[in-house]
Amino acid sequence: MGSSQGQIQVEKWWRQAAADRGYSDTDINRIWEVLAAFASFGFCKAHAAAFALPTYQSAWLKTHHTAAFLAGVLTHDPGMYPKRLILDEARTMGVRVLGLDVNASRAEFIVESQPAVDGSAEPEAIAGSEAKTSEADDRVERDMALIQGRAAHYGIRLSLAEVKGITESEMARVIAGQPFHSLGDFWHRAQISRPVAERLIVAGAFDQLCGVGAAASRGSGLSRRDLLLHLAELDRWSRSHQRQGRGPRRPKTRFASRNTAGGEVADLARGQAQGHRDWEPQASVSAQLALDIGDQPFEQRSSGLPEMTPVEQTQAELEVLGMDVTSHVVTTYWPMLKELGVTPADQLLHHRQGAEVLVAGAKVATQTPPVRSGRRVVFLTVDDGTGPSDSTFFEDAQGEYASTVFHSWLLVVRGVLRRTGPRGRSVRASAAWDMSHLAQVYETEGIEAVRALMDSAKNQESITTSTVQQRRVLLHPSGFKQSPYADVGPAGSGISEQMSKLWHSSPGSSGR
């Protein structure tokens, strides 16, 4: 069917077969028109059924075993969406996200029971209150309340495997040595490389053990920066003992690491990339507690260094884990976004068809599927912490903003709201901006300067719309037109790309 000669052969055979089965000429002509229209783009019923079954099974598991299902998805990562979006979906559905903990995390994401918090009701109590809910409330929202009530009793603990640069042998030693009673105890018994230990510290894996930040129940007053200083002392002490032949050999790294966090964690990774190899025989390390003979560095008290700010913590989590755990990456931008009148994703349902809206968020995916018109259409999904929202960029909006859409991670999008179903909303986009750039203008010049910047782009939209450049179009023998930029490859991306990307971009998307 994909070639002219093939269509002639199939049509000849099919028309005779249909006539032999008693179909009228009118029906045969009508059905063939439909078949011919899908000659270059279509899929069989079995393909749809193969998607329908796991979709139903996933929906059932997500409804009745929310935490366990999402923990499994995070561990096995079968889809095209980044893990940070799945983690945010867990939060939205009421599951608590539990950070890294050297005494609790395992090699996979695990589910932990959590005590009820103030304001959370038992599922039975929520179900009994349904009769009191006003009839105007949406049934889906009532069902979500039930799911959130059940899910609130569980949390998903982050996996050690998400730490950049950690090896399977290092994970095995950490898990075998649990529980640890101090950073020094961990350093001696886990025998992991210093860059990995530093990433664990900046990602919060020692907060509970050492009483850092929100976990400072025993009033230690320590910060993650204090732990990095103490780790440096432990490293110097260990290497001094190695030179004297008094201690076990530690994993080597070629580059000296620095006691810094946040964006410089990437520098530490370069050293870890040339560390010991997993396929070389490794000496087994005993999980027995280390004997303290009094000559190792004491855990220091607070040095007075400030704790990492929420922004620095989020940056460190993205560097080390590829996920924003403690808070959504867009959280710090909301003061500006609210002044601009940005609509949260979970509020789009309450806006009327055709309303001009602003949406914002972290980019989740860009896709450019083939469409029958042969034009290039870019579908963008962003997530703002309340849920994802979809925007569509047709060719008249791509000239000015395609580069921003493909190359920026945090985006603000303007467009017209379209109803796509009873609860479906999409935005026909007309403009897009890099949220980080707008935030810089906001901090230095104020909200009016941001509005002026966006208004100047709005005036340019009318000029761009009238001068849309004609693009090359691929014409199939069936008459189907296809943009040369359309995505015709399989969904998802390669493993090497997934490890370094915070969003999905289809094979037809630019800026991968």
Side-chain angles (χ1 to χ4, degrees), residues 285-363:
V285 179
S286 172
Q288 181 178 349
L289 292 175
L291 177 63
D292 185 3
I293 60 176
D295 65 338
Q296 69 179 19
F298 290 102
E299 281 202 36
Q300 64 184 49
R301 297 181 180 180
S302 175
S303 63
L305 290 173
E307 181 53 280
M308 296 169 63
T309 65
V311 174
E312 290 173 332
Q313 289 185 18
T314 301
Q315 290 174 343
E317 289 166 357
L318 290 170
E319 282 278 339
V320 175
L321 305 171
M323 294 178 282
D324 38 343
V325 180
T326 53
S327 63
H328 195 277
V329 69
V330 177
T331 300
T332 56
Y333 293 91
W334 271 114
M336 176 191 73
L337 298 178
K338 288 181 178 178
E339 289 192 58
L340 288 175
V342 170
T343 303
D346 63 351
Q347 298 299 313
L348 289 174
L349 193 64
H350 305 297
H351 286 257
R352 61 180 175 79
Q353 165 92 354
E356 185 177 81
V357 294
L358 286 171
V359 295
K363 182 165 60 178

Side-chain angles (χ1 to χ4, degrees), residues 367-379 392-398 428 465 468-475 479-488 508:
Q367 299 179 77
T368 57
V371 295
R372 188 161 185 80
S373 65
R375 296 183 178 180
R376 184 193 195 189
V377 181
V378 180
F379 294 95
T392 306
F393 286 80
F394 292 99
E395 285 193 340
D396 57 355
Q398 292 177 24
R428 176 167 178 159
T465 302
V468 177
Q469 183 179 359
Q470 293 296 321
R471 299 183 182 274
R472 186 167 60 94
V473 175
L474 305 179
L475 183 62
F480 183 85
K481 298 177 181 178
Q482 178 188 320
S483 167
Y485 302 101
D487 169 20
V488 294

Side-chain angles (χ1 to χ4, degrees), residues 20-279:
D20 292 344
R21 287 166 174 76
Y23 288 93
S24 66
D25 290 342
T26 302
D27 289 338
I28 291 174
N29 292 332
R30 179 174 55 83
I31 296 172
W32 177 253
E33 288 180 2
V34 175
L35 292 175
F38 280 87
S40 296
F41 184 71
F43 49 85
C44 64
K45 186 175 181 179
H47 181 80
F51 272 91
L53 179 60
T55 298
Y56 172 79
Q57 293 170 335
S58 299
W60 190 91
L61 288 170
K62 189 175 179 181
T63 299
H64 298 284
H65 303 280
T66 309
F69 172 74
L70 293 175
V73 172
L74 286 164
T75 296
H76 299 287
D77 193 19
M80 65 176 237
Y81 291 108
K83 287 186 177 181
R84 58 168 304 277
L85 180 67
I86 300 171
L87 204 66
D88 195 56
E89 177 75 359
R91 292 192 195 95
T92 302
M93 299 194 72
V95 180
R96 303 186 206 179
V97 176
L98 309 175
L100 276 180
D101 190 329
V102 292
N103 281 335
S105 293
R106 299 291 188 269
E108 60 280 323
F109 290 82
I110 58 175
V111 177
E112 297 181 11
S113 297
Q114 296 292 301
V117 296
D118 294 339
S120 66
E122 295 291 333
E124 293 79 11
I126 298 175
S129 66
E130 283 192 13
K132 300 178 182 179
T133 305
S134 66
E135 294 181 0
D137 287 347
D138 189 85
R139 177 182 174 182
V140 175
E141 294 178 358
R142 296 200 302 271
D143 290 343
M144 279 299 299
L146 283 170
I147 295 171
Q148 291 169 352
R150 286 193 297 261
H153 296 275
Y154 299 96
I156 296 178
R157 176 72 64 184
L158 262 65
S159 164
L160 290 170
E162 298 305 310
V163 177
K164 181 190 291 186
I166 196 169
T167 64
E168 292 186 7
S169 58
E170 287 176 325
M171 279 191 290
R173 290 195 294 270
V174 171
I175 295 169
Q178 294 170 344
F180 302 97
H181 64 78
S182 67
L183 176 58
D185 178 39
F186 175 87
W187 176 250
H188 294 305
R189 292 198 291 124
Q191 291 288 296
I192 67 172
S193 63
R194 179 174 167 184
V196 172
E198 288 177 324
R199 295 186 201 114
L200 287 169
I201 289 174
V202 299
F206 289 90
D207 286 3
Q208 192 67 37
L209 176 62
C210 300
V212 173
S217 57
R218 62 174 183 264
S220 67
L222 292 174
S223 68
R224 295 180 188 179
R225 290 187 171 93
D226 293 326
L227 297 184
L228 288 170
L229 289 175
H230 184 50
L231 180 67
E233 294 177 358
L234 288 169
D235 185 39
R236 285 193 293 269
W237 180 86
S238 297
R239 299 194 182 282
S240 173
H241 276 54
Q242 285 177 16
R243 288 192 295 269
Q244 300 172 22
R246 298 168 53 193
R249 292 182 62 83
R250 299 196 55 80
K252 293 181 180 180
T253 52
R254 246 176 234 189
F255 294 95
S257 54
R258 291 175 288 176
N259 304 320
T260 51
E264 295 184 351
V265 174
D267 298 332
L268 304 177
R270 284 192 284 272
Q272 172 63 11
Q274 303 189 33
H276 72 272
R277 298 172 175 83
D278 277 345
W279 60 82

